[in-house]
Amino acid sequence: MLFIGCLFIGCTESGQKPSQKVVIYTSIYKEVINQLSPSLKKEFPDLEVIWFQGGSETIATKVQAELLGGKTQADLILTSDPLWYFELKSQGHLLKLDTPQMQNIPPEWREKEGYFVSVRTPVMILASNDSSLKLSSIEDLQNPEFKDQLMMPSPLESGTAFLSIALTSQSKGWEYFKRLRANNLIASGGNSVVIQNLKNKDKKIGWVLLENVLAYQKKATGGKSPLYPLYVNAGVIPIPSPMAILKTSANVDQAKRVYNWFLEQTAQKILVENGMYSPVFKELHPEGAPPWKEIESKTISVHFSKLEDLYKERDKIKKEFTNIILR
Amino acid sequence: MTFFIESLINTLVFSIGVAFFSGLIGLTLAWSTLQFPKIIQQPMVQLLSLPFAFPPFLLAIAWIGLSQSLGFQVYGMLGMIFIFTLTAFVYPFSESYQALSRINKSYEEAARMSGATPKERFLKITLPLIFPPLLNGVLLSYLSALAAFGVPALLGAHTRTSVLTTLLYSEMRMGGEQGMKNAIYLTFALLILASFGFILLNRSQKIQKERKMILVTSRLHSNQNYSKEKLLLIGLFIGVTFWIIISLILPWISLGLQSGHFKDVFENTDFHIALMNSFILCLSSAFVLSIGGFIWVYFFPTKGQLLSKFIFSLPGSIVAILLILFGALYTRFTGLFVPPLILIFLSYVLKFSSISLGRFHQSFSQFDVALDEAAQMQGAYSYERLFKIWLPLMTSVISSIFILVFLQSLNELNMSILLTGPGASTIGTLLFDYHSYAEPEMATTIAFLLTTVAILLGLSLQLKGKKT
């Protein structure tokens, strides 16, 4: 008991003293972090950056659990669910900012008071392991020929999946998902689980992140089953993934430096190289993907001002989707 | 509410299904193994005990890969029960094997001479004698299935089969105040189900203790050769070998075949950090529970056992939630954060304390109290008696517990996923992240390495047990 007590007392951290340290909670994939990290170190050699990576919903649960105690260890959060950021803002957990770099973000992807901005734009698309498949819109997924062939990540695990179903339910209604349930749409795990199922030909069509498809195409060599992205009407969903600084951060100045760095060219190029579009440099596009101008007409429109109303429905959306698809 | 009832029913079907099949298979394998000559028996027992070292979550990953190659599905309730039984059977198997090998042969001889058929001898003599330890094993299988998360999460999603642990997880993921409230209600539901199992387990262990004299005091131990028919022996051998193959060899090979990114894994910084964290956590908890447990049971022989058994019977997710709440309270009152590694360490110590306390209690009780009293009368202080008399006697038990706790901590996933934080990834959480979010091929490589280490540790534990 004494041993455990000493270990406890010796190891608890205040998190209050300012230090040359920034803690980032993020849903960005590990291999992207492994590329961002050295550039960040080069830019700020005096700064220690600690990453905690998990799915968007894992990060949200972690932050909520920490906030039960009144504060969180995170200085900066970068995940994929903008609706959660509106919730954090309404609860007074986010820091208001106004930096020159923020002005480079289009207004539709910038919170109007400056509490958070979109730092990257992953895109949800349909993908298939069948090169002969032709779809014109996501409405085609309701066709009986696709019964038992559909899969998507679970919105309870993946922030990108959550925003996709939130926006689609707004444009197509919940009846659309009921028809997909009739076609036995499975929602499970993260984006990579969907890729696995497509790769193994357990499913034919997946609703999945473009960056996962492009990463798989890069790795796949002769003989392996390739995957094909499908850019269909209303089936290209940009996910303007936010970044914010927590009000309880003990390292606000350091966090601001890193915040601004993420909106500059070095970081934005790394994100684009890893299959995402840039909200700052719209002329850049991932290798193997079309320029933004070519697919923009097929996207569902996403505007932060509209999302602000949607955030109040966040729990209701999850519950509705769970009742229709997951149960 | 309807979905809660559905998940509750699924939980009962899953737990009771696993308990039933584990008991049936465990008893059959124990009886079958005892038919063989000792030279075959010992290696078979060791191999049959090894699936205990195989984390059920990894078994599920291995069998998903296997089933895809063989053209069938393991998703759904039947798949869940099948996969989980592949490890849970070890509890009733080891309890039955120990009990069957200690039965006084003269009881069966007397029944045989009185004209009883083999079936009558088994049902009216053998089964009643071994029923308490068998029930013990079956209840442990029930409790481990009740607490399971990885297998239901992986295999239940495709068929929408939810159990209470996966429902609890999804309620926490719903977020918001209502989500957390629902998670707490589900925690209570799991506590109630676990309590039933715990009460029965406690009762069964008490009966077993009372009956111990009947099984162990006889010098005429059963020679285990109930049947000499060659054909039957060959059939039993094939059956036991088949089970070893599907519960251990095939999954291990399947993981090996799906692996291949060893270079990427070993060069990966995240893997180094997770390995270091796992090593420190497993070593610390094993050290605390082996040395600490030894000292605790010596000075407080009657304290802590009931509580530790109760905590063992709780699902890991409940232990994790309680520690999260504790961490939040600590932060609120002191302004300090409890590092996630400390919370994970505490979860391991709490969850596996019953392994330590139970084993030490059993080991201490096998020695005559006169040993300690004689030393005391000669003027030896308690610490002298502890280190000069008891420590040499208990060295092999301490090292067995060390390896067992190390192994259990290495395989632990449920609590680690909920308690992890910055810089606190373990091999289990890294594996889960790779499998769910980023690189499944890396996940299977890590899974293969983890199971290989677990099997080797399990084998060394078996060899230690043999020497004790």
Side-chain angles (χ1 to χ4, degrees), chain A residues 11 13 29-30 52 58 61-62 68-69 71 156-157 184-186 188 190 192 199-200 202 219 318 325 327, chain B residues 3 68 157-158 160 169-170 173-174 270 328 330 332 335-337 339 420-422 436-441:
Chain A
C11 290
E13 296 169 346
Y29 287 144
K30 285 186 197 301
F52 174 56
T58 302
T61 308
K62 178 79 184 161
L68 284 175
K71 57 184 179 179
L156 301 185
E157 310 270 354
N184 200 23
L185 166 71
I186 296 292
S188 172
S192 56
K199 188 183 89 164
N200 297 333
D202 285 343
K219 285 177 197 167
K318 283 187 181 179
I325 299 290
R327 295 182 174 173
Chain B
F3 192 66
Q68 279 165 355
H158 279 240
R160 297 183 178 85
Y169 182 79
S170 70
R173 283 285 184 269
M174 293 280 205
D270 295 323
Y330 188 85
R332 202 164 269 284
L336 304 172
F337 287 108
T420 192
S436 301
Y437 301 120
E439 302 219 38
E441 295 87 3

Side-chain angles (χ1 to χ4, degrees), chain B residues 305-363:
Chain B
Q305 263 213 85
L306 202 65
L307 181 63
S308 66
K309 274 189 220 173
F310 182 66
I311 295 172
F312 179 77
S313 65
L314 289 180
S317 41
I318 294 181
V319 177
I321 286 173
L322 291 171
L323 283 168
I324 287 170
L325 291 173
F326 165 74
L329 274 171
Y330 188 85
T331 305
R332 202 164 269 284
F333 285 113
T334 64
L336 304 172
F337 287 108
V338 182
L341 279 178
I342 295 288
L343 288 177
I344 297 174
F345 165 75
L346 286 174
S347 71
Y348 292 175
V349 168
L350 285 170
K351 185 79 173 135
F352 305 132
S353 56
S354 75
I355 297 174
S356 162
L357 299 186
R359 288 271 174 123
F360 277 123
H361 186 78
Q362 205 173 24
S363 302

Side-chain angles (χ1 to χ4, degrees), chain B residues 244-266:
Chain B
I244 292 171
I245 289 171
I246 64 166
S247 64
L248 187 69
I249 297 170
L250 263 184
W252 184 70
I253 292 174
S254 167
L255 284 176
L257 289 173
Q258 292 175 64
S259 313
H261 295 252
F262 294 100
K263 190 169 175 283
D264 293 337
V265 165
F266 288 124

Side-chain angles (χ1 to χ4, degrees), chain B residues 7-21:
Chain B
S7 302
L8 180 65
I9 293 170
N10 285 341
T11 303
L12 287 169
V13 168
F14 175 62
S15 311
I16 294 170
V18 165
F20 174 76
F21 286 109

Side-chain angles (χ1 to χ4, degrees), chain B residues 19 38 49 60 94 99 127 146 155 160 174 178 180 191 227 251 254 293 303 325 329 340 348 350 406 437-438 442 461:
Chain B
K38 269 241 166 1
S49 304
S94 56
L127 195 55
L146 192 67
L155 303 181
R160 297 183 178 85
M174 293 280 205
Q178 192 56 48
M180 281 308 274
L191 257 169
S227 163
S254 167
K303 287 187 170 37
L325 291 173
L329 274 171
Y348 292 175
L350 285 170
F406 188 97
Y437 301 120
M442 293 275 273
L461 189 66

Side-chain angles (χ1 to χ4, degrees), chain B residues 91-355:
Chain B
Y91 293 114
F93 165 74
S94 56
E95 295 275 352
S96 303
Y97 179 81
Q98 296 291 331
L100 279 169
S101 58
R102 289 203 302 256
I103 283 180
N104 191 334
K105 194 184 172 187
S106 59
Y107 295 139
E108 289 217 338
E109 284 296 319
R112 191 180 60 80
M113 286 192 309
S114 301
T117 61
K119 184 180 166 186
E120 281 175 325
R121 290 199 307 267
F122 182 78
L123 289 174
K124 291 183 181 176
I125 310 274
T126 310
L127 195 55
L129 280 175
I130 65 161
F131 187 74
L134 174 63
L135 181 64
N136 208 36
V138 165
L139 286 169
L140 285 170
S141 302
Y142 164 80
L143 288 170
S144 64
L146 192 67
F149 169 74
V151 169
L154 269 181
L155 303 181
H158 279 240
T159 54
R160 297 183 178 85
T161 307
S162 174
V163 295
L164 288 178
T165 46
T166 54
L167 183 60
L168 191 152
Y169 182 79
S170 70
E171 287 295 338
M172 282 186 72
R173 283 285 184 269
M174 293 280 205
E177 208 180 306
Q178 192 56 48
M180 281 308 274
K181 273 186 187 167
N182 290 344
I184 291 168
Y185 297 147
L186 286 164
T187 302
F188 281 114
L190 277 165
L191 257 169
I192 291 167
L193 288 178
S195 301
F196 283 130
F198 168 70
I199 290 165
L200 281 171
L201 181 69
N202 211 31
R203 184 82 194 108
S204 159
Q205 285 175 343
K206 273 189 182 156
I207 294 171
Q208 203 179 336
K209 222 171 155 180
E210 284 159 19
R211 287 199 188 184
K212 194 169 126 181
M213 298 301 285
I214 298 170
L215 286 179
V216 304
T217 55
S218 168
R219 287 179 190 172
L220 293 174
H221 295 309
S222 168
N223 248 347
Q224 303 117 19
N225 281 323
Y226 297 102
S227 163
K228 291 188 171 74
E229 287 94 350
K230 269 192 184 163
L231 215 58
L232 178 65
L233 277 175
I234 291 168
L236 290 175
F237 183 81
I238 291 170
V240 173
T241 309
F242 172 75
W243 186 260
I244 292 171
I245 289 171
I246 64 166
S247 64
L248 187 69
I249 297 170
L250 263 184
W252 184 70
I253 292 174
S254 167
L255 284 176
L257 289 173
Q258 292 175 64
S259 313
H261 295 252
F262 294 100
K263 190 169 175 283
D264 293 337
V265 165
F266 288 124
E267 286 176 357
N268 189 300
T269 322
D270 295 323
F271 177 73
H272 299 157
I273 294 170
L275 188 65
M276 172 79 88
N277 287 339
S278 283
F279 190 68
I280 292 171
L281 285 167
C282 296
L283 266 183
S284 315
S285 47
F287 179 80
V288 164
L289 289 176
S290 57
I291 303 294
F294 166 65
I295 296 171
W296 178 272
V297 173
Y298 177 76
F299 286 109
F300 309 107
T302 56
K303 287 187 170 37
Q305 263 213 85
L306 202 65
L307 181 63
S308 66
K309 274 189 220 173
F310 182 66
I311 295 172
F312 179 77
S313 65
L314 289 180
S317 41
I318 294 181
V319 177
I321 286 173
L322 291 171
L323 283 168
I324 287 170
L325 291 173
F326 165 74
L329 274 171
Y330 188 85
T331 305
R332 202 164 269 284
F333 285 113
T334 64
L336 304 172
F337 287 108
V338 182
L341 279 178
I342 295 288
L343 288 177
I344 297 174
F345 165 75
L346 286 174
S347 71
Y348 292 175
V349 168
L350 285 170
K351 185 79 173 135
F352 305 132
S353 56
S354 75
I355 297 174

